[in-house]
Amino acid sequence: MKKINYRKILVMGLLLAMVFTIGGCTKKEDGFVAKVDGEGITTEEFESDFQVYKKIYEQRLGEGAMAEVGEDGKTLEENLKNEIVQRLIMEKIVSKEANKMNITITDEEIEEQTSSYVSMMGGQEKFDEFLENNKISQEFFKENLRKELLFNKHRETFMAETDVTEKEAKKYFEANKDDLVVIKASHILVKTEEEGKKVLERLNAGEKFDVLAQEVSIDKASAVEGGNLGYFTKGSMISEFEEAAFDLNIGEVSNLVKTEVGYHIIHLEDRKDTFEALKDDIIKLLKEQKYLEAIQGLRNSAKVKVYLDLKDSK
C-alpha cells in the first residue's frame, strides 16, 4: 500500500541509505575498486555484489532498467554501482569499529535469522526458489546476512550507550510536531466501487472489520492481519489514502476512498500526537540521528581511495 519509488528500492544487503557519494576517482589500481585505511576492496567482491543486485533490479524493473537516466543525469547502473561501492566501504569501516567494540556475529545468529527469513517466505522450498530466481548463492546470502547483522548490532550497541534527555526530546517535538504525528490504521482494498459499497453495507450491518479484511481485501499482505497497516506518518502513503486516514477520528471508518490501486475503506485505530505519546519515538529518532552523525564522522575520518570508474565498469 505504501508509495513505491523503484529507484529507491533497497534490496537485501544494501543496508544503509548512504548519503556518501564518490567524489572523483584516483588512478586505477589493478584488482581493487577501493581501499579503506589501506585495506583493499577487490574487484571480485564488487562484481559479485553488482551482478546479484543488477539481476534483481532487472527482474523488477525490466531488462533495460540499468540504462535509464534519472533526474541526476546518471543511469540506474551508475547509481547502483555507486551504492555498492559505498556500502562496501562502510562495511570495512563499521567492521573495524565493531571489532574495537568486541562485537561479533556467531554462526548460530546467522542460522537463526536465516530460519526467520525462510519462515517469512513460506518455507524452505519458496526460500530456495527465491534464491535461485535471483541467482543468489547460499554463501552470498549468508555473508550478506552476517554483514547486515553486524551493522544492526553495532547500531543497537551505539544507541544503547547514547543518552537523549527529555529536554532534547521536547525541544525536537515543539519544532517538528506537525511532522511527528503518527496514526495506526487498517484498510480493506477492493477493485471496484460496487464491491466497496457492498463491503460498507456489511460493515454497517455489524460485521467485523478485521474479519471482512481477511475475506475480501486484495491487499493480501495486510489482509492476513485484518487489514492492519501499522503506524505511519504523513508522506508514507498514497496521498488520497493518507488525507482520508488523517481526517478520521479514532474508531471511525471512512467512506470509499479511491486511489490508483483501487477503492479503500479505512479504519483508524490510534493516533499519537502529544509529546507524552510520542516521547519514546522521538528519543529513538534522535538516537538514530546521532548514530548517523557518528557513521558520517567515521566515514569522513577514514582514508578512502576509490579506483572504480562507474561508466567503464562492466
Side-chain angles (χ1 to χ4, degrees):
M1 238 302 297
K2 294 182 180 179
K3 289 192 295 185
I4 298 175
N5 181 339
Y6 281 106
R7 283 199 169 278
K8 294 182 180 178
I9 290 174
L10 294 181
V11 292
M12 177 193 61
L14 293 179
L15 307 173
L16 295 175
M18 303 309 301
V19 295
F20 316 111
T21 56
I22 295 177
C25 299
T26 58
K27 187 177 179 180
K28 286 187 177 181
E29 185 165 328
D30 289 344
F32 297 100
V33 295
K35 282 190 175 181
V36 183
D37 293 329
E39 186 177 354
I41 297 170
T42 67
T43 303
E44 184 179 4
E45 286 179 84
F46 169 82
E47 285 296 334
S48 176
D49 281 17
F50 174 68
Q51 293 303 325
V52 169
Y53 296 127
K54 178 174 179 283
K55 176 72 174 177
I56 293 173
Y57 271 77
E58 286 177 338
Q59 284 187 337
R60 294 184 179 182
L61 306 178
E63 289 190 6
M66 289 293 107
E68 290 183 11
V69 179
E71 294 179 359
D72 59 0
K74 295 180 181 179
T75 65
L76 180 56
E77 181 170 328
E78 289 173 316
N79 281 317
L80 177 58
K81 289 174 179 176
N82 181 50
E83 286 179 356
I84 290 172
V85 171
Q86 294 305 326
R87 178 178 59 80
L88 291 170
I89 289 169
M90 286 309 302
E91 283 173 1
K92 296 289 185 187
I93 293 171
V94 171
S95 179
K96 184 178 178 181
E97 286 301 304
N99 186 55
K100 289 180 183 178
M101 298 164 70
N102 294 316
I103 298 171
T104 59
I105 301 299
T106 66
D107 291 342
E108 289 75 18
E109 287 174 300
I110 293 172
E111 290 304 321
E112 183 179 346
Q113 188 60 51
T114 300
S115 295
S116 177
Y117 280 128
V118 170
S119 177
M120 185 174 61
M121 289 186 178
Q124 189 66 47
E125 185 176 341
K126 289 186 177 180
F127 176 73
D128 291 341
E129 185 180 337
F130 166 79
L131 295 184
E132 183 178 350
N133 289 342
N134 290 286
K135 307 298 181 187
I136 300 173
S137 68
Q138 289 278 352
E139 293 76 15
F140 181 91
F141 175 84
K142 290 192 174 182
E143 177 57 20
N144 274 268
L145 184 55
R146 185 192 68 77
K147 293 173 181 176
E148 179 182 355
L149 291 172
L150 189 67
F151 261 107
N152 290 342
K153 190 177 285 191
H154 177 263
R155 173 177 167 273
E156 289 164 5
T157 301
F158 177 92
M159 291 176 65
E161 297 173 352
T162 300
D163 292 324
V164 172
T165 66
E166 185 164 322
K167 183 178 179 180
E168 286 179 275
K170 190 166 287 187
K171 180 179 179 181
Y172 188 86
F173 171 77
E174 292 300 332
N176 300 278
K177 61 174 65 177
D178 290 341
D179 296 324
L180 291 170
V181 175
V182 295
I183 60 174
K184 182 181 181 182
S186 297
H187 82 140
I188 297 171
L189 175 63
V190 294
K191 290 182 179 179
T192 67
E193 184 176 8
E194 183 180 355
E195 289 175 296
K197 288 180 178 178
K198 290 180 180 178
V199 174
L200 282 173
E201 288 175 3
R202 292 175 66 179
L203 287 169
N204 290 332
E207 293 194 48
K208 291 189 175 182
F209 193 97
D210 58 343
V211 175
L212 268 177
Q214 291 174 353
E215 179 186 337
V216 304
S217 182
I218 60 174
D219 178 6
K220 298 304 180 185
S222 67
V224 295
E225 296 184 7
N228 180 29
L229 296 169
Y231 285 96
F232 55 90
T233 60
K234 290 182 178 179
S236 57
M237 295 288 184
I238 296 172
S239 59
E240 298 91 344
F241 179 96
E242 186 176 284
E243 183 178 349
F246 273 86
D247 279 345
L248 293 172
N249 295 315
I250 294 175
E252 191 175 3
V253 175
S254 73
N255 289 316
L256 289 181
V257 178
K258 183 180 179 182
T259 72
E260 62 195 55
V261 296
Y263 290 82
H264 310 258
I265 299 168
I266 308 166
H267 175 221
L268 186 68
E269 299 179 25
D270 192 19
R271 180 191 304 271
K272 296 198 286 187
D273 54 11
T274 66
F275 174 70
E276 286 304 318
L278 291 166
K279 183 170 70 172
D280 290 344
D281 294 341
I282 293 169
I283 289 173
K284 182 180 179 182
L285 174 63
L286 291 176
K287 286 187 176 186
E288 287 174 344
Q289 287 184 354
K290 290 184 179 185
Y291 176 71
L292 289 175
E293 289 169 4
I295 289 290
Q296 179 75 70
L298 291 173
R299 177 62 171 82
N300 290 342
S301 62
K303 295 179 180 178
V304 177
K305 292 183 179 180
V306 177
Y307 308 114
L308 179 68
D309 187 325
L310 297 178
K311 292 185 177 181
D312 287 348
S313 176
K314 301 298 182 184

